Each structure stands twice: as structure tokens, then as C-alpha cells.
Amino acid sequence: MLFLNTISAVQDAAEVAAAVKDDMGMLWMLIAGILVFFMQAGFFLVESGMTDSKNAVNIAMKNFLDIAVGSLAFWFIGYSLMYGADVTEGGFFHWSGFIFSQGPADLFFQTVFAATTATIVSGAIAGRTKYTTYAIFSIILTALIYPIAGGWEWNGGWLNAEWMPAEFIDFAGSSIVHSVGGWAALVAAWMVGPRIGKFLNGKPVEMHGHNQMYATLGVFILWLGWFGFNGGSQLAWGGDDSVAASQVILVTNLAASAGALSALLFTWFKNGKPNLSMTLNGALAGLVSITAGCGNMSEGGAVLAGLIGGILVVLSIGFIEKTLKVDDAVGAISVHGVAGVWGTLVIGLWGIDGDTGIGLFNGGGASQLLAQAIGVLAYAFWAIVLSYIFLTIIKKTCGGLRVTEEEEIAGLDISEHGSIAYHGKRTREFE
């Protein structure tokens, strides 16, 4: 009898421990999701600070739209497209009817990721886009484009199929969130066209943001929120999961620091002075560069990924402006699209699985790099093609994508919302 009572007590203790771990995991996902939700404030400050003051209300309205409409659109249909049953094993399209939740913590966490994807587009097309255009496209991104793409990796889709050279890895969304948003931003910025005065005789003109302190504070908020973005993607807490999530946060911070430092030093060497906006974008590029591999990267590997990401973003911003002649108001295409590609590919160069190297340069061969490249190309193709199709439809049916020249000169705050962010006369002089 004593023996049976002992077994029963052990079983009860194990059940209690498992329940506590489940509760801690749910709490961690909620806290992480709240941090990601707060990133919307960071995006608003970065975008408004790096652009003209006459568009600050418009930018605030877009960021509120992203989280409000995105939450409803993703809850109603996006979640079902992303986490429904596979039509086939390793399938392309997930749908098994409406699924409004597989758990409230999971739904909330995934919702704020969807809103982030839409917000990336906002910065690239700031200052000249119709609010209705952005509203419709934001819904399409969060309800359709992002969820279907997310299911390819995060719900056992075709990127995990047996015929792949290796299992595609995107731990927290360098490609799924950031590259999808970045490529959508590239198409949108190209189709909307540049801001008035951005190009003079074919050469880009620097258009100063109205408040670099806003932008700086915004990056600090995004940096903080990224600990939830990446760390929460462990999706559990307790025991080994606690160690893994903590390691994810550590390498995330290291990569961000390295990206900020490399962008700072690179622009200092290149231009003779350290540039604040490029340093800020370098930190964000470092964060994006580690997002896919934060669960598969050593601390040294994370630092190197961030260092290269910080330099890539500086070069990319110049290339997109000077060569492609695309006006990206805040550098979103480079920060999220280009750095997202780099963050996905770097796993195939020096990624790890525990203590085992899986990259080309640390004994893993080329199979992981090939799998990462397939994913990169697939997400780029999906986002570019779908964005072009839907923006073309919006352009044809809504009387164009951008405001009139007179409305742009007056500012979107007045022309689109009948309000201004700063009352009183504001004048600035530049030599």
C-alpha cells in the first residue's frame, strides 16, 4: 500500500509540475506578445521622426489602423489560413474551416506578428499615399499574404517537406515577417512613386526627418520589443525552454549591438562623421539579421551576423535610392527586406543545432544553405507578386494609390485627416 501511495504521489507531483510549466509558458507568451504590441509605438516614433512633421498624424493613424484592423483581420481569417490543417502533407495552402483560436495566448502572440508585417510597408510609402490605399492593403497583408506564407514554415508547410535538402529554419520571422513586409514595401514604394522633391536631375535628395529624438526613442522601444519578438518565439517557458529563451534574448541583444556599431563605424569612415539615422537603422538591421537564427546561432555567430547586417543596410539604402530610384522614406526595404534575406541565409553559413554545426563554414555542408535560399526566394516571389496584383487592383478601383500634388505639399495631416500634429507656425532653415 505504501508503495502504491508513493507512486500516486509521484504521478500527482509530475502532473502539477507539467501544469505549472504550461501556465508559465502561457504567461511568457502573453508577456512577449505585450512587448511586441508595444513595438507599434516604436514603429510610429521611427516613421514620424524620420519624415516630415506635416504627416505625423497620418503616420499615427496608420499605426493605429495596423493593430486594430490587423487584429480583427487575422483573428477572422488570417489565423485560419496560417494554422489550418494541411491540404496535403507538407502542403502549400492551409485551410480546414474557420479557426478562431487554438489558445488565447497563442492567438494574441501571432496577431501582433501579423500587425508588424503591415507596419513595415507604412514607413516606405510615408508622405504621399492615400489613407484608403494603405488601409485596404494592410487588411490584405494581415488576412491573406502573410498568413499563407507563415504556414509554409510554422505549420508544417512545404518548406518542411521531405524533398527539401534540409528543414528550412526561420525561428522568429526574418523572412516570414520581415522579408515579406520588406518586399511588399518595395513594390508599394515603386508603384506609389517618390515624394515630390526626392529626386533632382535623377539624383536623390536627402529629405530630413523632423525629429531624430523621436526616431531614436522609437528604435529603443523596438529593441526592447524584439526581446519578446524573438524570445517569445520559443513558445514555452520552464526547464530547458527557459534556458533556450534566455539564450535567444542574449544573442538578439548582441546582434543588435553589433549592427548599430558596424553602421556607425562604416558611415563614420565613409562620410567623415557618424550618422545617427544610419546607426539607428544598423541596430534594426542587426535585430532582423538574428531573427531567423536566434535559436540556431552561437554568441560569436550572432555578433558577426549583426556586424555584416549593419553594413549591408547602409549599402542597400544607397543602392535602392541611387540605382533603383525607389523612394523609401525610412529605409524599411533595406532594414526588413534585405537584412531579412541576410538573416535567413546566414543560418546556412554558420548556424548550429545544439553543439553541431549545420552551416557551410562550420562543417554542415551546403544543404542547409540551399534550403534557406529556397525559402528566401519563395517568400520574395510570393510577397512581390501578390503585392503587385493587389496594389494594381486597388489602383484601378480606388482612383490611384497616392494623393494629389497639392495634397502632398499641404501635408497628409490636413488633406487626409483635417488635423495637424503641431499647432502654430513651424519654420526650419538649412544652410
Side-chain angles (χ1 to χ4, degrees):
M1 181 66 69
L2 178 62
F3 178 72
L4 293 176
N5 289 338
T6 301
I7 292 176
S8 177
V10 170
Q11 290 175 338
D12 290 344
E15 290 174 0
V16 169
V20 170
K21 184 177 180 181
D22 288 343
D23 287 346
M24 291 299 294
M26 184 180 296
L27 177 61
W28 170 235
M29 287 183 66
L30 286 172
I31 293 172
I34 290 167
L35 285 172
V36 179
F37 180 96
F38 190 46
M39 289 173 72
Q40 289 293 328
F43 280 119
F44 159 68
L45 289 169
V46 170
E47 185 180 345
S48 62
M50 287 188 173
T51 55
D52 202 294
S53 61
K54 65 185 179 181
N55 300 313
V57 169
N58 176 257
I59 292 166
M61 290 292 292
K62 287 191 295 180
N63 278 269
F64 265 92
L65 179 89
D66 286 334
I67 195 65
V69 173
S71 293
L72 294 172
F74 188 75
W75 164 77
F76 183 67
I77 192 168
Y79 190 89
S80 301
L81 286 169
M82 194 166 177
Y83 288 104
D86 282 345
V87 173
T88 59
E89 182 68 23
F92 173 85
F93 186 76
H94 298 74
W95 180 261
S96 55
F98 287 101
I99 305 171
F100 293 109
S101 178
Q102 292 179 351
D106 177 68
L107 174 59
F108 175 68
F109 187 71
Q110 299 300 336
T111 294
V112 290
F113 268 53
T116 297
T117 307
T119 303
I120 292 168
V121 179
S122 173
I125 58 176
R128 73 272 200 195
T129 309
K130 288 181 177 180
Y131 192 67
T132 50
T133 294
Y134 182 76
I136 296 169
F137 192 58
S138 180
I139 295 170
I140 292 168
L141 266 174
T142 52
L144 181 64
I145 297 176
Y146 163 75
I148 292 176
W152 298 349
E153 158 67 355
W154 289 341
N155 190 26
W158 68 270
L159 286 174
N160 301 138
E162 292 184 0
W163 58 263
M164 286 282 287
E167 183 177 336
F168 177 75
I169 297 172
D170 191 349
F171 189 87
S174 284
S175 279
I176 298 169
V177 177
H178 296 283
S179 279
V180 167
W183 298 136
L186 174 63
V187 174
W190 170 65
M191 292 185 68
V192 171
R195 288 165 291 176
I196 296 172
K198 178 60 184 177
F199 293 99
L200 182 62
N201 297 324
K203 296 182 178 181
V205 175
E206 184 175 2
M207 303 184 80
H208 296 275
H210 85 279
N211 195 323
Q212 292 199 72
M213 300 305 99
Y214 276 10
T216 303
L217 178 58
V219 170
F220 273 121
I221 291 173
L222 290 172
W223 195 329
L224 170 67
W226 231 287
F227 298 145
F229 199 100
N230 287 1
S233 294
Q234 183 68 26
L235 304 179
W237 189 270
D240 291 342
D241 287 315
S242 301
V243 176
S246 299
Q247 180 68 15
V248 164
I249 291 173
L250 173 62
V251 298
T252 297
N253 187 59
L254 290 174
S257 302
L261 186 61
S262 65
L264 185 158
L265 294 175
F266 186 69
T267 55
W268 198 344
F269 175 79
K270 182 171 176 285
N271 303 322
K273 294 181 184 294
N275 183 280
L276 176 59
S277 65
M278 287 297 183
T279 302
L280 297 177
N281 277 330
L284 296 177
L287 289 162
V288 176
S289 296
I290 196 60
T291 295
C294 55
N296 298 87
M297 197 71 60
S298 68
E299 293 163 22
V303 170
L304 185 56
L307 285 171
I308 295 174
I311 295 172
L312 278 176
V313 79
V314 176
L315 296 174
S316 175
I317 288 172
F319 175 80
I320 288 171
E321 281 193 346
K322 296 174 183 178
T323 304
L324 299 184
K325 299 293 191 295
V326 172
D327 178 17
D328 178 356
V330 301
I333 300 166
S334 300
V335 166
H336 300 279
V338 174
V341 167
W342 164 243
T344 307
L345 292 176
V346 71
I347 299 170
L349 298 177
W350 54 77
I352 58 174
D353 183 6
D355 296 326
T356 304
I358 58 174
L360 183 65
F361 299 147
N362 60 355
S367 59
Q368 191 65 56
L369 181 59
L370 180 57
Q372 298 303 110
I374 291 171
V376 162
L377 292 173
Y379 283 117
F381 180 82
W382 173 257
I384 289 171
V385 171
L386 269 290
S387 296
Y388 179 77
I389 290 171
F390 282 110
L391 285 169
T392 299
I393 294 171
I394 295 170
K395 183 177 180 179
K396 298 290 186 181
T397 58
C398 298
L401 300 176
R402 66 184 293 160
V403 298
T404 65
E405 181 177 345
E406 293 76 14
E407 290 170 333
E408 182 178 344
I409 292 171
L412 301 190
D413 290 0
I414 288 292
S415 62
E416 291 284 279
H417 307 285
S419 179
I420 57 175
Y422 307 97
H423 289 274
K425 187 176 182 180
R426 292 171 57 82
T427 59
R428 294 193 301 175
E429 295 179 359
F430 296 98
E431 293 182 0

